[in-house]
Amino acid sequence: MTFLWTGFLFSGNLTLIAMTGGVVFGTLLAMGRLSSLGPLAAIASAYVNLMRSIPLVMVILWFFLVIPLITGKPIGAERSAIVTFTAFEAAYYSEIMRAGIQSVSRGQAMAGYALGMSYWQNMGLVVLPQAFRNMIPILLTQTIILFQDTSLVYAIGAKDLLKAAEIAGKNYNRPMEMYIFVAAIYFVLCFTLSTVVKRLQKKFAVVR
Amino acid sequence: MNYHWNWGIYLEQIKGGEETYLSWLVTGLQWTVAVSLCSWVIALLLGFLVGTLRTTPRRWVARLCSAYVELFRNIPLLVQMFLWFFVMPELLPRNLSLWVKQEMPAKEFVTATICLGLFTSARIAEQVRAGIQSLPRGQSYAGLAMGFTLPQTYRYVLLPMAIRIIIPPLTSEFMNVFKNSSVAFAIGVLELTFQARQMQEDSEQGIETYLAVTLLYFACAFVTHLGMSWIERKTRVPGLISTAK
């Protein structure tokens, strides 16, 4: 049981870290894609499209292979997973944030500039707060998907919830019950979260 | 970064074997395409059925279908794979269970295809429902007023329009099927990701291996995209969906 708990904590931590990192980098990527600097926009969109067109398992394997080559020493499956998910999810969050930024009406940004704000002030104080607010339900939905996807770190043998359940199942010779149990945990968590998100969506719809 | 590059690795022979590494990759590609296409067929059939039923006036049918969708959407694909592969055979009647475990041909392939098919069908069902609900209410009233029965209304009025509307999201879902088929490595289907891991361990030329496999995945996605855009162009209703593109 403590075993499962450790695995669960890892899955949860991985989700939270990747979400925070992903949203931050994703927002930067989205700003890059929408910027008027040609090369920056091209690089950002190339990165996003690249990440979105390869299977996540392949991305996980890539990072697990390449990071040690760059740093010169092995860093372990768990840390590799955290870097991978942050980088991978940044691409998905950036698409959401791009839609969010574009959903803020043009006049808002123009008003900001007219008041003499710089680009960063304008983004930070006017555009992004509204973009975040509009996109909160979708960002959360993506986080639920992210939580489900963390099970794929199985490919590099990191000990997440699923892996822990598998090992525990083997130790106690009860593999089937363990798989069903894990499925139930994922289902209950994700279903509850998505219900909450639906509620939020309704609430936000009323406010606007 | 001291990496030993060897671009000739694809044509080299596998240690202690006759074949080249290239043949592994080709086998992988074949399985990936087979799993993806078969599960796409399952997913389309079931997805359309469930998605359509979710919009019918029968309350309990709609509920049941919603439950189906929620079930498949809220469990990670990998966990579903394990459930189908390890748990499902045990739950079957004894004779059938023995047959599945011992004699069923291409056991991994069938399991992976069913699993991926059902997983994707839930997502397609969502899109079909959204497509049907995006039609103006008057369309179904008009159909019923013309004396069509409810199935006829769906067949001749609602679905032909709804399908065309949802072709773009269906395209990305089709591309997702290829991406998701990579998860089948976990239960031992010899598809691309499986071959990539195997080749990487065997040859220790990780970068070359993954590069080739990544390109093959790209190729799959690209071909899918081309095919679907062709269908989209052919079936377009003038004036309804923005024709400018």
mmCIF file of all heavy atoms in Angstrom, chain A residues 40-71:
data_model
loop_
_atom_site.group_PDB
_atom_site.id
_atom_site.type_symbol
_atom_site.label_atom_id
_atom_site.label_comp_id
_atom_site.label_asym_id
_atom_site.label_seq_id
_atom_site.Cartn_x
_atom_site.Cartn_y
_atom_site.Cartn_z
ATOM 1 N N LEU A 40 11.585 34.156 -34.640
ATOM 2 C CA LEU A 40 11.096 33.674 -33.349
ATOM 3 C C LEU A 40 9.787 32.921 -33.535
ATOM 4 O O LEU A 40 9.611 31.803 -33.024
ATOM 5 C CB LEU A 40 10.898 34.862 -32.400
ATOM 6 C CG LEU A 40 10.522 34.505 -30.963
ATOM 7 C CD1 LEU A 40 11.637 33.702 -30.318
ATOM 8 C CD2 LEU A 40 10.233 35.758 -30.169
ATOM 9 N N ALA A 41 8.873 33.513 -34.311
ATOM 10 C CA ALA A 41 7.590 32.878 -34.555
ATOM 11 C C ALA A 41 7.783 31.544 -35.262
ATOM 12 O O ALA A 41 7.136 30.536 -34.922
ATOM 13 C CB ALA A 41 6.703 33.800 -35.392
ATOM 14 N N ALA A 42 8.714 31.514 -36.219
ATOM 15 C CA ALA A 42 8.937 30.284 -36.979
ATOM 16 C C ALA A 42 9.479 29.177 -36.072
ATOM 17 O O ALA A 42 9.001 28.033 -36.113
ATOM 18 C CB ALA A 42 9.911 30.540 -38.125
ATOM 19 N N ILE A 43 10.461 29.541 -35.221
ATOM 20 C CA ILE A 43 11.038 28.529 -34.330
ATOM 21 C C ILE A 43 9.978 27.994 -33.379
ATOM 22 O O ILE A 43 9.825 26.783 -33.203
ATOM 23 C CB ILE A 43 12.218 29.125 -33.528
ATOM 24 C CG1 ILE A 43 13.370 29.457 -34.474
ATOM 25 C CG2 ILE A 43 12.689 28.151 -32.457
ATOM 26 C CD1 ILE A 43 14.500 30.195 -33.810
ATOM 27 N N ALA A 44 9.214 28.914 -32.787
ATOM 28 C CA ALA A 44 8.196 28.486 -31.824
ATOM 29 C C ALA A 44 7.179 27.573 -32.487
ATOM 30 O O ALA A 44 6.814 26.529 -31.931
ATOM 31 C CB ALA A 44 7.505 29.701 -31.208
ATOM 32 N N SER A 45 6.732 27.922 -33.695
ATOM 33 C CA SER A 45 5.697 27.086 -34.295
ATOM 34 C C SER A 45 6.280 25.760 -34.768
ATOM 35 O O SER A 45 5.608 24.739 -34.707
ATOM 36 C CB SER A 45 4.965 27.821 -35.423
ATOM 37 O OG SER A 45 5.798 27.938 -36.536
ATOM 38 N N ALA A 46 7.542 25.772 -35.200
ATOM 39 C CA ALA A 46 8.169 24.502 -35.587
ATOM 40 C C ALA A 46 8.231 23.570 -34.381
ATOM 41 O O ALA A 46 7.896 22.385 -34.475
ATOM 42 C CB ALA A 46 9.571 24.739 -36.129
ATOM 43 N N TYR A 47 8.639 24.115 -33.229
ATOM 44 C CA TYR A 47 8.733 23.309 -32.014
ATOM 45 C C TYR A 47 7.375 22.707 -31.662
ATOM 46 O O TYR A 47 7.251 21.505 -31.418
ATOM 47 C CB TYR A 47 9.245 24.183 -30.869
ATOM 48 C CG TYR A 47 9.297 23.471 -29.543
ATOM 49 C CD1 TYR A 47 10.355 22.627 -29.240
ATOM 50 C CD2 TYR A 47 8.286 23.628 -28.607
ATOM 51 C CE1 TYR A 47 10.405 21.960 -28.042
ATOM 52 C CE2 TYR A 47 8.329 22.964 -27.400
ATOM 53 C CZ TYR A 47 9.385 22.137 -27.117
ATOM 54 O OH TYR A 47 9.428 21.473 -25.928
ATOM 55 N N VAL A 48 6.346 23.558 -31.667
ATOM 56 C CA VAL A 48 5.021 23.089 -31.277
ATOM 57 C C VAL A 48 4.527 22.003 -32.230
ATOM 58 O O VAL A 48 4.050 20.945 -31.811
ATOM 59 C CB VAL A 48 4.027 24.263 -31.233
ATOM 60 C CG1 VAL A 48 2.611 23.762 -31.034
ATOM 61 C CG2 VAL A 48 4.397 25.213 -30.114
ATOM 62 N N ASN A 49 4.691 22.236 -33.532
ATOM 63 C CA ASN A 49 4.205 21.248 -34.499
ATOM 64 C C ASN A 49 4.968 19.947 -34.406
ATOM 65 O O ASN A 49 4.387 18.868 -34.528
ATOM 66 C CB ASN A 49 4.297 21.806 -35.914
ATOM 67 C CG ASN A 49 3.256 22.869 -36.145
ATOM 68 O OD1 ASN A 49 2.206 22.845 -35.510
ATOM 69 N ND2 ASN A 49 3.533 23.806 -37.026
ATOM 70 N N LEU A 50 6.271 20.050 -34.175
ATOM 71 C CA LEU A 50 7.089 18.850 -34.046
ATOM 72 C C LEU A 50 6.592 17.994 -32.881
ATOM 73 O O LEU A 50 6.304 16.809 -33.016
ATOM 74 C CB LEU A 50 8.555 19.240 -33.829
ATOM 75 C CG LEU A 50 9.512 18.081 -33.630
ATOM 76 C CD1 LEU A 50 9.741 17.375 -34.949
ATOM 77 C CD2 LEU A 50 10.835 18.546 -33.056
ATOM 78 N N MET A 51 6.444 18.647 -31.706
ATOM 79 C CA MET A 51 6.043 17.918 -30.508
ATOM 80 C C MET A 51 4.665 17.306 -30.682
ATOM 81 O O MET A 51 4.382 16.225 -30.173
ATOM 82 C CB MET A 51 6.014 18.862 -29.299
ATOM 83 C CG MET A 51 7.372 19.145 -28.738
ATOM 84 S SD MET A 51 8.080 17.633 -28.071
ATOM 85 C CE MET A 51 9.656 18.207 -27.546
ATOM 86 N N ARG A 52 3.799 18.022 -31.395
ATOM 87 C CA ARG A 52 2.426 17.539 -31.502
ATOM 88 C C ARG A 52 2.281 16.416 -32.505
ATOM 89 O O ARG A 52 1.242 15.759 -32.536
ATOM 90 C CB ARG A 52 1.490 18.693 -31.868
ATOM 91 C CG ARG A 52 1.135 19.541 -30.657
ATOM 92 C CD ARG A 52 0.620 20.875 -31.075
ATOM 93 N NE ARG A 52 -0.463 20.747 -32.022
ATOM 94 C CZ ARG A 52 -1.746 20.720 -31.684
ATOM 95 N NH1 ARG A 52 -2.082 20.826 -30.430
ATOM 96 N NH2 ARG A 52 -2.673 20.603 -32.596
ATOM 97 N N SER A 53 3.305 16.214 -33.354
ATOM 98 C CA SER A 53 3.099 15.175 -34.351
ATOM 99 C C SER A 53 3.846 13.874 -34.048
ATOM 100 O O SER A 53 3.740 12.927 -34.817
ATOM 101 C CB SER A 53 3.450 15.685 -35.745
ATOM 102 O OG SER A 53 4.696 16.311 -35.723
ATOM 103 N N ILE A 54 4.596 13.813 -32.951
ATOM 104 C CA ILE A 54 5.227 12.528 -32.600
ATOM 105 C C ILE A 54 4.475 11.922 -31.418
ATOM 106 O O ILE A 54 3.999 12.657 -30.554
ATOM 107 C CB ILE A 54 6.699 12.675 -32.166
ATOM 108 C CG1 ILE A 54 7.313 13.958 -32.703
ATOM 109 C CG2 ILE A 54 7.519 11.485 -32.598
ATOM 110 C CD1 ILE A 54 8.727 14.114 -32.212
ATOM 111 N N PRO A 55 4.390 10.594 -31.378
ATOM 112 C CA PRO A 55 3.757 9.960 -30.223
ATOM 113 C C PRO A 55 4.526 10.292 -28.943
ATOM 114 O O PRO A 55 5.757 10.375 -28.971
ATOM 115 C CB PRO A 55 3.863 8.463 -30.519
ATOM 116 C CG PRO A 55 4.147 8.347 -31.955
ATOM 117 C CD PRO A 55 4.808 9.597 -32.383
ATOM 118 N N LEU A 56 3.762 10.467 -27.852
ATOM 119 C CA LEU A 56 4.391 10.814 -26.567
ATOM 120 C C LEU A 56 5.428 9.774 -26.156
ATOM 121 O O LEU A 56 6.492 10.115 -25.633
ATOM 122 C CB LEU A 56 3.302 10.952 -25.501
ATOM 123 C CG LEU A 56 3.763 11.227 -24.086
ATOM 124 C CD1 LEU A 56 4.684 12.423 -24.020
ATOM 125 C CD2 LEU A 56 2.581 11.445 -23.175
ATOM 126 N N VAL A 57 5.140 8.497 -26.415
ATOM 127 C CA VAL A 57 6.093 7.460 -26.015
ATOM 128 C C VAL A 57 7.443 7.704 -26.680
ATOM 129 O O VAL A 57 8.498 7.575 -26.062
ATOM 130 C CB VAL A 57 5.584 6.061 -26.412
ATOM 131 C CG1 VAL A 57 6.540 5.015 -25.898
ATOM 132 C CG2 VAL A 57 4.214 5.814 -25.867
ATOM 133 N N MET A 58 7.397 8.093 -27.963
ATOM 134 C CA MET A 58 8.644 8.362 -28.665
ATOM 135 C C MET A 58 9.374 9.550 -28.044
ATOM 136 O O MET A 58 10.594 9.538 -27.903
ATOM 137 C CB MET A 58 8.376 8.653 -30.147
ATOM 138 C CG MET A 58 8.164 7.444 -31.023
ATOM 139 S SD MET A 58 9.348 6.123 -30.790
ATOM 140 C CE MET A 58 10.846 6.848 -31.390
ATOM 141 N N VAL A 59 8.614 10.582 -27.672
ATOM 142 C CA VAL A 59 9.246 11.755 -27.049
ATOM 143 C C VAL A 59 9.928 11.344 -25.748
ATOM 144 O O VAL A 59 11.057 11.747 -25.462
ATOM 145 C CB VAL A 59 8.200 12.863 -26.783
ATOM 146 C CG1 VAL A 59 8.858 14.072 -26.166
ATOM 147 C CG2 VAL A 59 7.503 13.239 -28.068
ATOM 148 N N ILE A 60 9.219 10.512 -24.964
ATOM 149 C CA ILE A 60 9.791 10.061 -23.696
ATOM 150 C C ILE A 60 11.099 9.311 -23.952
ATOM 151 O O ILE A 60 12.119 9.548 -23.302
ATOM 152 C CB ILE A 60 8.791 9.156 -22.943
ATOM 153 C CG1 ILE A 60 7.561 9.963 -22.530
ATOM 154 C CG2 ILE A 60 9.437 8.537 -21.724
ATOM 155 C CD1 ILE A 60 6.478 9.127 -21.896
ATOM 156 N N LEU A 61 11.072 8.416 -24.949
ATOM 157 C CA LEU A 61 12.283 7.650 -25.251
ATOM 158 C C LEU A 61 13.408 8.567 -25.739
ATOM 159 O O LEU A 61 14.560 8.415 -25.340
ATOM 160 C CB LEU A 61 11.975 6.595 -26.314
ATOM 161 C CG LEU A 61 11.076 5.439 -25.873
ATOM 162 C CD1 LEU A 61 10.748 4.534 -27.045
ATOM 163 C CD2 LEU A 61 11.739 4.631 -24.775
ATOM 164 N N TRP A 62 13.061 9.532 -26.596
ATOM 165 C CA TRP A 62 14.054 10.486 -27.102
ATOM 166 C C TRP A 62 14.774 11.194 -25.960
ATOM 167 O O TRP A 62 15.991 11.244 -25.889
ATOM 168 C CB TRP A 62 13.381 11.555 -27.956
ATOM 169 C CG TRP A 62 13.394 11.325 -29.442
ATOM 170 C CD1 TRP A 62 12.297 11.127 -30.220
ATOM 171 C CD2 TRP A 62 14.525 11.325 -30.330
ATOM 172 N NE1 TRP A 62 12.684 10.967 -31.528
ATOM 173 C CE2 TRP A 62 14.026 11.089 -31.623
ATOM 174 C CE3 TRP A 62 15.899 11.474 -30.142
ATOM 175 C CZ2 TRP A 62 14.851 11.003 -32.737
ATOM 176 C CZ3 TRP A 62 16.716 11.391 -31.251
ATOM 177 C CH2 TRP A 62 16.206 11.163 -32.533
ATOM 178 N N PHE A 63 13.994 11.776 -25.063
ATOM 179 C CA PHE A 63 14.594 12.560 -23.979
ATOM 180 C C PHE A 63 15.441 11.669 -23.088
ATOM 181 O O PHE A 63 16.512 12.057 -22.653
ATOM 182 C CB PHE A 63 13.515 13.255 -23.140
ATOM 183 C CG PHE A 63 13.115 14.573 -23.703
ATOM 184 C CD1 PHE A 63 12.250 14.651 -24.780
ATOM 185 C CD2 PHE A 63 13.600 15.750 -23.161
ATOM 186 C CE1 PHE A 63 11.883 15.862 -25.312
ATOM 187 C CE2 PHE A 63 13.233 16.973 -23.688
ATOM 188 C CZ PHE A 63 12.376 17.034 -24.759
ATOM 189 N N PHE A 64 14.946 10.456 -22.850
ATOM 190 C CA PHE A 64 15.676 9.537 -21.983
ATOM 191 C C PHE A 64 17.037 9.215 -22.599
ATOM 192 O O PHE A 64 18.023 9.015 -21.910
ATOM 193 C CB PHE A 64 14.850 8.258 -21.805
ATOM 194 C CG PHE A 64 15.363 7.366 -20.714
ATOM 195 C CD1 PHE A 64 15.610 7.877 -19.451
ATOM 196 C CD2 PHE A 64 15.579 6.016 -20.941
ATOM 197 C CE1 PHE A 64 16.061 7.073 -18.443
ATOM 198 C CE2 PHE A 64 16.048 5.194 -19.927
ATOM 199 C CZ PHE A 64 16.281 5.723 -18.689
ATOM 200 N N LEU A 65 17.077 9.215 -23.918
ATOM 201 C CA LEU A 65 18.321 8.915 -24.619
ATOM 202 C C LEU A 65 19.235 10.133 -24.710
ATOM 203 O O LEU A 65 20.437 10.046 -24.478
ATOM 204 C CB LEU A 65 17.986 8.419 -26.030
ATOM 205 C CG LEU A 65 19.172 8.174 -26.949
ATOM 206 C CD1 LEU A 65 19.757 6.810 -26.660
ATOM 207 C CD2 LEU A 65 18.755 8.259 -28.397
ATOM 208 N N VAL A 66 18.630 11.290 -25.025
ATOM 209 C CA VAL A 66 19.440 12.445 -25.393
ATOM 210 C C VAL A 66 19.944 13.224 -24.178
ATOM 211 O O VAL A 66 21.076 13.692 -24.177
ATOM 212 C CB VAL A 66 18.645 13.361 -26.351
ATOM 213 C CG1 VAL A 66 19.358 14.675 -26.562
ATOM 214 C CG2 VAL A 66 18.448 12.652 -27.686
ATOM 215 N N ILE A 67 19.130 13.326 -23.128
ATOM 216 C CA ILE A 67 19.563 14.140 -21.981
ATOM 217 C C ILE A 67 20.901 13.665 -21.399
ATOM 218 O O ILE A 67 21.807 14.471 -21.192
ATOM 219 C CB ILE A 67 18.479 14.194 -20.884
ATOM 220 C CG1 ILE A 67 17.245 14.919 -21.415
ATOM 221 C CG2 ILE A 67 18.984 14.926 -19.651
ATOM 222 C CD1 ILE A 67 16.098 14.914 -20.448
ATOM 223 N N PRO A 68 21.075 12.365 -21.166
ATOM 224 C CA PRO A 68 22.378 11.922 -20.646
ATOM 225 C C PRO A 68 23.525 12.254 -21.597
ATOM 226 O O PRO A 68 24.638 12.540 -21.147
ATOM 227 C CB PRO A 68 22.216 10.404 -20.518
ATOM 228 C CG PRO A 68 20.773 10.175 -20.427
ATOM 229 C CD PRO A 68 20.140 11.238 -21.255
ATOM 230 N N LEU A 69 23.255 12.238 -22.903
ATOM 231 C CA LEU A 69 24.304 12.564 -23.861
ATOM 232 C C LEU A 69 24.732 14.018 -23.722
ATOM 233 O O LEU A 69 25.901 14.352 -23.873
ATOM 234 C CB LEU A 69 23.810 12.324 -25.295
ATOM 235 C CG LEU A 69 23.803 10.873 -25.777
ATOM 236 C CD1 LEU A 69 23.268 10.799 -27.185
ATOM 237 C CD2 LEU A 69 25.199 10.292 -25.706
ATOM 238 N N ILE A 70 23.771 14.880 -23.436
ATOM 239 C CA ILE A 70 24.094 16.304 -23.326
ATOM 240 C C ILE A 70 24.769 16.606 -21.999
ATOM 241 O O ILE A 70 25.798 17.269 -21.937
ATOM 242 C CB ILE A 70 22.820 17.164 -23.491
ATOM 243 C CG1 ILE A 70 22.275 16.979 -24.906
ATOM 244 C CG2 ILE A 70 23.109 18.627 -23.214
ATOM 245 C CD1 ILE A 70 20.936 17.609 -25.127
ATOM 246 N N THR A 71 24.184 16.090 -20.904
ATOM 247 C CA THR A 71 24.743 16.408 -19.591
ATOM 248 C C THR A 71 25.967 15.558 -19.287
ATOM 249 O O THR A 71 26.752 15.900 -18.416
ATOM 250 C CB THR A 71 23.701 16.179 -18.480
ATOM 251 O OG1 THR A 71 23.264 14.817 -18.572
ATOM 252 C CG2 THR A 71 22.517 17.099 -18.616
#
